[in-house]
Amino acid sequence: MDINDIARRAGVSRATVSRYLNNGYVSQEKRNLIRRIIQETGYVPSQNAQQLRTGKTRLVGVIIPKINSQSVSRMVAGITDELAQNNYHVVLANTKNDESLEVEYLNMFCGRHHVDGIILIATVFTPEHEDAFRAMDVPLVVLGQQIDGYSCVYHNDYDAIRELTTLVLAKAQRPAYLGVLEEDLAAGKLRHCGFLDACTEAGFVVPPEAQLVVDFDADSGFFGAEHLLRNVPDVDTIVCATDDIAFGALMCMREYGIRVPEDVQITGLGDSLLSQISHPSLTTVHLAYKTSGIEAAQMLLAQMDDKDTPISQIKMGYQIYGRNSMR
C-alpha cells in the first residue's frame, strides 16, 4: 500500500493525497474521504520519503527540567496537544535539572538527531546556553522564562506573588518566605522580589532568618517551615514559592500542632491538585501552564512554517484563589 493506492481508492490525484499528508490545502470533502481511506487501510506514510520531499522530520524537541512536576506536565500537555493537531511528534528530553545536560540536548537536537524546532522549558541560562542558542539552525521557543532576543512564553511571576502577598499581609504581623534558588529567574528571583516589595509597601521589614531557600518539593517545604519555627518563633504567615513547598509547610504545622490559618497563614503558587485537596485548602495563584504550552507550540509552528516570522514574546496572566489557609 502506497500513496498511489490511496489516491486510486479515493478517486483523487496523487498530488492531492500528498498535500493532505503534508497539511496543505485540500477541500474538506476530499480531506474526509482521504482520512477515511487511510484509516480503513491502515496506511502509514513513509517518514523518510516525506523528509526527503519536504525537508522536514515532523519532529519537535521538547526539553524539560524534570518530569515529576505538575506545572511541567501541564505545559507539556498543552504543547503535545497542539503539535499533534498539526501532525508533529514530540521527542521529550528530561534533564533532571542538569544544566550541562540541557545544553547537550540543545546541541543534539540540532545535530545527529535533527528536529524541525525546539521548545525549551527553561529554568536557568548559562553562557553555554547562549552559545548553543546562537549555533542553532532551527527555530527555538523558550517557555517559562523571558529572554531577550528569542521568542518566549512566560508567566507574570513577580506580580502574581506580589499581589498574593499583599492580600495575606492584611492580617499578618510576622511574615516569612520559603523560596527557591534565584538562578531560576522566574520561580526564584522574581517571586522573591515580588514578596519583598509587597512587604516593603505594607511597612514590613523581613529579616534574613525569615527568608529561606529550599528545593521545589514538599519535603523541603516541611523542613523549611520547621527551620522558620525554630528561628522565627512568632512567624504567623509563610508565603511559599510553589504549592509543593506550601504543602510541606502545611504538613509541618500539623506535625507541630499549629493551626492553619488561625496561628499561621500559608500560601502557595501554581494551583496544583494538592492545593485543592489539602486540609485546609491552599490559598494559591493559578498560572495558565497548559495554555502557555499551547501558546509556545503555536509560536513554534509559525516559525517552522516561515523562518522569517518575527520574534514574539507573550506574558501570561494569573488568577488568585483565596482559600482556607489564609485568614
Side-chain angles (χ1 to χ4, degrees):
M1 179 67 64
D2 60 21
I3 190 172
N4 294 313
D5 296 320
I6 298 297
R8 280 195 298 272
R9 285 172 178 253
V12 298
S13 69
R14 186 182 189 281
T16 300
V17 178
S18 178
R19 286 199 304 275
Y20 170 85
L21 294 173
N22 291 289
N23 209 30
Y25 175 75
V26 178
S27 70
Q28 193 59 50
E29 180 182 359
K30 291 181 179 178
R31 181 175 293 276
N32 293 339
L33 178 60
I34 295 169
R35 182 187 299 114
R36 180 173 60 80
I37 297 298
I38 288 175
Q39 290 173 345
E40 289 175 352
T41 60
Y43 170 70
V44 178
S46 167
Q47 187 168 344
N48 289 336
Q50 285 189 307
Q51 184 175 347
L52 288 172
R53 188 165 55 251
T54 66
K56 292 186 176 183
T57 64
R58 311 300 297 184
L59 297 175
V60 169
V62 178
I63 303 174
I64 64 173
K66 56 183 177 179
I67 204 163
N68 59 336
S69 162
Q70 283 199 45
S71 58
V72 170
S73 66
R74 284 154 62 184
M75 287 187 273
V76 170
I79 292 168
T80 54
D81 285 354
E82 188 66 22
L83 291 177
Q85 290 180 26
N86 289 272
N87 300 318
Y88 277 91
H89 299 282
V90 166
V91 181
L92 194 65
N94 177 25
T95 67
K96 301 179 182 179
N97 285 311
D98 185 331
E99 300 166 16
S100 62
L101 189 56
E102 198 166 87
V103 173
E104 184 178 326
Y105 277 124
L106 286 168
N107 293 327
M108 185 186 76
F109 282 149
C110 293
R112 63 184 183 277
H113 299 289
H114 207 280
V115 295
D116 294 335
I118 297 173
I119 295 176
L120 169 64
I121 300 179
T123 55
V124 301
F125 297 116
T126 66
E128 290 74 23
H129 281 80
E130 295 173 7
D131 289 343
F133 291 166
R134 285 191 291 267
M136 289 176 60
D137 59 353
V138 298
L140 167 71
V141 172
V142 174
L143 177 54
Q145 300 279 357
Q146 183 182 20
I147 179 171
D148 292 338
Y150 296 92
S151 291
C152 56
V153 180
Y154 60 100
H155 301 280
N156 193 351
D157 295 273
Y158 172 83
D159 286 331
I161 209 157
R162 180 179 175 182
E163 185 176 338
L164 176 63
T165 302
T166 299
L167 178 67
V168 296
L169 287 180
K171 295 183 179 180
Q173 296 295 325
R174 191 71 185 273
Y177 184 71
L178 294 179
V180 296
L181 283 174
E182 297 198 4
E183 284 82 356
D184 185 328
L185 180 62
K189 185 175 182 178
L190 290 178
R191 293 181 190 180
H192 190 196
C193 288
F195 166 79
L196 289 177
D197 287 351
C199 289
T200 299
E201 290 169 7
F204 289 94
V205 177
V206 184
E209 62 269 23
Q211 304 173 54
L212 193 65
V213 172
V214 299
D215 288 331
F216 281 87
D217 56 78
D219 284 345
S220 295
F222 184 101
F223 293 118
E226 194 174 45
H227 174 92
L228 290 174
L229 292 177
R230 287 196 304 266
N231 293 277
V232 192
D234 56 345
V235 62
D236 70 350
T237 299
I238 303 176
V239 176
C240 302
T242 73
D243 281 353
D244 282 351
I245 294 171
F247 186 69
L250 282 174
M251 292 191 294
C252 179
M253 297 301 114
R254 186 177 301 120
E255 183 79 14
Y256 280 81
I258 296 171
R259 298 173 303 167
V260 178
E262 293 86 353
D263 301 323
V264 176
Q265 302 181 98
I266 295 177
T267 71
L269 190 146
D271 190 29
S272 66
L273 178 61
L274 283 175
S275 71
Q276 302 170 45
I277 65 174
S278 63
H279 181 72
S281 57
L282 184 64
T283 293
T284 186
V285 182
H286 177 80
L287 299 181
Y289 287 124
K290 184 173 183 179
T291 304
S292 71
I294 294 172
E295 292 284 358
Q298 290 176 345
M299 193 177 286
L300 185 68
L301 286 165
Q303 293 185 14
M304 292 188 299
D305 185 57
D306 181 1
K307 292 190 177 182
D308 292 327
T309 301
I311 290 171
S312 60
Q313 300 194 351
I314 296 175
K315 181 195 287 187
M316 304 296 294
Y318 62 89
Q319 183 174 354
I320 293 177
Y321 290 144
R323 297 190 178 121
N324 295 329
S325 67
M326 62 175 285
R327 299 186 192 103

